[in-house]
């Protein structure tokens, strides 16, 4: 088994491409086959080195590896079937185009854009399917010679046979297309640059690809590819089209409407092992209730025949859930290490390790850490600027209740010396103070939480106070009191 992923470096790694790459990886590793990376950069105007970098880096980040092709962006190519970049394969395409011209399977077309437009309009009016009218296929020798002498711009078109194309899709089963509807499509532009349908077929043969596994958006391309394969006398690979990834409203996940770049998910702080686990379930399932799989376990279980035909819904809640499961499976030391990029350099590793137990239970994404625990390292005045006086009001109460709680809390903090400044004792004293004030514990704690963390939702309050220490806790409660209006009377 030889499979390939064939990304076009015309954008950052897209979630659909990542999932296709993963399925190719799993299928080839499961079968002990070979995995090829081919860079489809025939679209020179839109392909960039930065996008290639983004694609390769993020594939590595996901843990996906391959046997042939460039192993790192801009690096040397590995493998005996190169070059693996289409820009470096132009000679072969030109040779194969000549072969098609010589056999009569392709022909030159000199029609101008205006002429093609007129044909299209005519077909629209006649309610016929839009396709090339084959004018240039039927030119006389004299007409052809005239165009050639005039050096009029031309393209090379494939002569599509009016036949029914059938293939046994690895995912969808028997598929049938009527190629008489296709029209003769362009293989090579006037400037000699070859187009996608042509190069993909040439490359898959040259690289001895046995299984073409790609997104369902390519399904309608496959009859064109099979027709070309036949005209060129190539071996026909097996095709497998995996379902599209859909938004929850079942619309297609598009760059404009949805977050599709892997970099964006990575920057939010999803763990690669959670993300890969999530991707694997977009269109596949092991057929059991199990949901946590390492890449190796996925490889062992993956079966292309179990890939679903219907669209795969992208469920963010499930991704968040999986990420949480993976976060909680890390040791505190491992999690501290993973959090490092989201935490200011000024925070020492030991101090970071201290906050980890406070947030591990509720952390959804690594990137949430500044929001969740930033109050520990932000200066008091910054934290005070995060909230307005109203936020200090407990659920049942207004500024008076807030002030009562904060004043009593200040007494508790003042009375404990540094040695006793521990979560258990703080909690006990604050509960007693709440009783004294005739307030519910929740209402009493809430203004203290906002004062100390700047937020209504935070890690456990008393552990937070302990971590912050006596002086800083007191300073924050005092700052909160200054925000409240002066007591009436
Ligand atoms: N370069 C194509 C794309 O990025 C993939 C082609 C294929 O898999 O056949 O969509």
């Amino acid at each position: 088994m030889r499979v390939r992923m064939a990304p076009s470096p015309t954008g950052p790694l897209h979630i659909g491409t990542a999932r296709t790459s993963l399925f190719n990886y799993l299928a080839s590793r499961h079968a002990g086959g070979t995995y090829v990376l081919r860079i489809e950069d025939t679209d020179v105007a839109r392909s960039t080195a930065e996008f290639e970098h983004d694609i390769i880096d993020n594939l590595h980040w996901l843990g996906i590896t391959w046997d042939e092709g460039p192993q790192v962006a801009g690096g040397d190519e590995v493998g005996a079937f190169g070059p693996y970049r289409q820009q470096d394969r132009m000679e072969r395409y030109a040779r194969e185009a000549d072969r098609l011209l010589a056999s009569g399977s392709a022909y030159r077309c000199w029609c101008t854009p205006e002429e093609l437009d007129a044909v299209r309009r005519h077909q629209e009016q006649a309610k016929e399917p839009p396709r090339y009218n084959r004018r240039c296929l039927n030119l006389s020798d004299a007409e052809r010679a005239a165009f050639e002498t005039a050096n009029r711009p031309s393209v090379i078109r494939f002569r599509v046979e009016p036949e029914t194309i059938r293939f046994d899709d690895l995912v969808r089963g028997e598929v049938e297309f009527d190629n008489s509807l296709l029209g003769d499509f362009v293989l090579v532009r006037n400037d000699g640059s070859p187009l996608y349908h042509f190069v993909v077929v040439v490359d898959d043969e040259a690289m001895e690809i046995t299984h073409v596994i790609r997104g369902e958006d390519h399904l309608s391309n496959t009859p064109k590819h099979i027709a070309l394969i036949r005209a060129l006398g190539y071996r026909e690979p097996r095709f497998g089209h995996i379902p599209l990834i859909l938004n929850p409203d079942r619309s297609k996940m598009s760059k404009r409407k949805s977050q599709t770049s892997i970099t964006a998910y990575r920057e939010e702080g999803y763990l690669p092992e959670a993300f890969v686990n999530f991707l694997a379930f977009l269109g596949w399932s092991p057929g059991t209730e199990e949901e946590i799989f390492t890449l190796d376990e996925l490889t062992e279980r993956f079966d292309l025949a179990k890939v679903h035909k219907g669209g795969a819904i992208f469920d963010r809640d499930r991704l968040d859930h999986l990420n949480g499961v993976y976060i909680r499976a890390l040791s505190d030391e491992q999690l501290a290490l993973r959090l490092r990029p989201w935490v200011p350099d000024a925070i020492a590793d030991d101090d970071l390790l201290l906050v980890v137990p406070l947030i591990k239970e509720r952390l959804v994404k690594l990137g949430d850490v500044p929001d969740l625990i930033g109050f520990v390292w932000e200066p008091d005045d910054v934290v005070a600027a995060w909230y307005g006086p109203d936020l200090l009001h407990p659920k049942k109460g207004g500024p008076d209740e807030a002030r009562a709680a904060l004043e009593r809390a200040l007494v508790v903090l003042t009375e404990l010396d540094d040695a006793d400044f521990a979560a258990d004792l703080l909690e006990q004293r604050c509960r007693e103070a709440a009783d004294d004030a005739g307030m519910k514990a929740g209402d009493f704690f809430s203004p203290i939480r906002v004062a100390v963390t700047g937020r209504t939702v935070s890690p456990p309050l008393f552990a937070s106070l302990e971590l912050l220490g006596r002086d800083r806790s007191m300073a924050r409660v005092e700052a909160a009191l200054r925000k409240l209006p002066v007591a009436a009377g």
Side-chain angles (χ1 to χ4, degrees):
M1 183 185 216
R2 287 178 58 84
V3 302
R4 76 330 188 256
M5 61 178 139
S8 305
T10 52
L13 182 62
H14 184 282
I15 184 157
T17 313
R19 198 266 319 245
T20 303
S21 301
L22 175 64
F23 281 19
N24 272 290
Y25 170 90
L26 296 174
S28 65
R29 293 295 182 254
H30 183 89
T34 300
Y35 193 11
V36 177
L37 169 64
R38 178 169 76 227
I39 304 291
E40 303 218 317
D41 56 358
T42 45
D43 186 345
V44 186
R46 289 170 59 231
S47 298
T48 71
E50 286 74 33
F51 289 141
E52 185 178 325
H53 222 284
D54 183 278
I55 291 167
I56 292 184
D57 274 4
N58 280 310
L59 288 170
H60 284 314
W61 177 71
L62 289 168
I64 295 175
T65 56
W66 48 97
D67 308 298
E68 296 180 18
Q71 300 294 304
V72 295
D76 288 345
E77 296 178 351
V78 173
F81 295 81
Y84 292 91
R85 210 174 245 98
Q86 290 181 329
Q87 274 309 316
D88 299 336
R89 304 176 60 79
M90 290 300 158
E91 266 170 47
R92 183 185 280 264
Y93 305 138
R95 225 167 41 231
E96 294 302 78
D98 284 346
R99 220 154 58 73
L100 287 173
L101 285 170
S103 70
S105 291
Y107 60 93
R108 276 202 180 275
C109 167
W110 287 271
C111 291
T112 63
E114 295 73 30
E115 287 165 342
L116 294 173
D117 249 8
V119 171
R120 203 171 306 129
R121 273 201 305 276
H122 177 82
Q123 287 170 336
E124 251 167 44
Q125 274 161 12
K127 303 224 175 327
E128 287 169 14
R131 62 193 140 170
Y132 180 56
N133 67 358
R134 291 198 152 172
R135 188 188 71 147
C136 289
L137 179 64
N138 303 314
L139 292 177
S140 68
D141 288 347
E143 287 169 315
R144 204 167 283 129
F147 282 144
E148 262 158 25
T149 343
N151 236 340
R152 183 162 149 153
S154 67
V155 299
I156 300 175
R157 280 186 191 276
F158 181 56
R159 177 181 181 163
V160 180
E161 295 297 332
E163 60 182 336
T164 301
I165 298 273
R166 287 189 191 83
F167 60 96
D168 184 17
D169 191 277
L170 292 159
V171 174
R172 314 180 62 85
E174 193 71 28
V175 183
E176 196 178 291
F177 280 93
D178 179 3
N179 268 13
S180 65
L181 299 171
L182 281 185
D184 295 346
F185 54 92
V186 177
L187 301 178
V188 182
R189 290 195 192 88
N190 178 53
D191 64 3
S193 57
L195 289 164
Y196 163 70
H197 297 303
F198 179 45
V199 293
V200 85
V201 163
V202 171
D203 287 347
D204 283 344
E205 165 76 9
M207 295 178 182
E208 297 184 12
I209 299 303
T210 59
H211 294 71
V212 171
I213 302 164
R214 58 187 173 191
E216 201 189 285
D217 45 334
H218 286 293
L219 184 62
S220 61
N221 294 332
T222 300
K224 296 183 182 173
H225 298 177
I226 291 179
L228 266 168
I229 286 167
R230 290 181 184 167
L232 285 157
Y234 292 166
R235 291 154 296 187
E236 192 175 313
R238 294 295 308 271
F239 290 93
H241 292 89
I242 59 186
L244 295 182
I245 305 176
L246 305 176
N247 291 310
D249 66 1
R250 299 200 72 84
S251 61
K252 199 180 154 199
M253 250 191 134
S254 70
K255 240 188 336 222
R256 267 173 298 114
K257 267 184 59 186
S258 342
Q259 179 171 312
T260 55
S261 91
I262 297 299
T263 296
Y265 290 96
R266 186 176 172 175
E267 285 173 351
E268 278 190 53
Y270 288 104
L271 303 182
E273 56 271 48
F275 205 83
V276 136
N277 197 151
F278 172 74
L279 280 181
F281 277 74
L282 287 177
W284 172 84
S285 67
T288 64
E289 293 293 297
E290 298 157 277
E291 58 168 8
I292 306 297
F293 290 90
T294 63
L295 202 47
D296 284 345
E297 287 162 351
L298 287 169
T299 301
E300 204 172 293
R301 299 286 283 277
F302 188 77
D303 181 359
L304 212 48
K306 285 219 183 92
V307 171
H308 312 152
K309 290 196 189 72
I313 304 282
F314 182 94
D315 179 353
R316 205 25 122 127
D317 291 339
R318 187 185 159 84
L319 173 59
D320 287 349
H321 160 72
L322 278 177
N323 209 51
V325 170
Y326 277 88
I327 282 179
R328 281 178 273 295
L330 297 174
S331 69
D332 289 358
E333 286 77 7
Q334 287 169 330
L335 181 52
L337 218 65
R338 302 281 191 116
L339 286 171
R340 198 66 257 194
W342 282 272
V343 172
D345 291 344
I347 308 304
D349 288 344
D350 288 350
D351 291 333
L352 176 54
L353 195 54
L354 285 178
V355 307
V356 165
L358 256 58
I359 54 172
K360 198 168 173 181
E361 283 312 309
R362 57 187 79 188
L363 193 62
V364 176
K365 295 169 282 180
L366 303 178
D368 296 342
V369 72
D371 214 39
L372 214 52
I373 200 81
F375 71 89
V376 175
W377 57 73
E378 293 294 349
D380 297 342
D381 55 338
V382 169
V383 173
W386 287 347
Y387 65 92
D390 291 358
L391 212 65
L392 292 164
H393 303 173
K395 216 189 247 143
K396 290 231 175 65
D400 292 341
E401 286 72 16
R403 190 178 324 96
L406 289 169
E407 281 172 350
R408 285 182 150 82
L410 196 57
V411 175
V412 170
L413 301 180
T414 316
E415 282 175 1
L416 287 176
D417 53 32
D418 284 338
D420 292 333
F421 208 81
D424 290 355
L425 199 54
L426 280 161
E427 176 162 5
Q428 189 193 322
R429 294 284 166 85
C430 281
R431 283 188 187 279
E432 288 165 9
D435 265 355
D436 276 357
M439 287 176 78
K440 278 202 169 143
D443 285 336
F444 190 84
F445 296 167
S446 143
I448 309 174
R449 181 186 307 281
V450 173
V452 169
T453 68
R455 316 237 183 253
T456 51
V457 180
S458 78
L461 175 61
F462 300 103
S464 301
L465 285 166
E466 178 182 333
L467 191 72
L468 217 50
R470 183 169 177 270
D471 292 350
R472 292 176 72 203
S473 299
M474 283 176 60
R476 287 187 186 190
V477 171
E478 283 163 356
L481 277 166
R482 284 197 296 275
K483 284 194 177 218
L484 289 169
V486 183

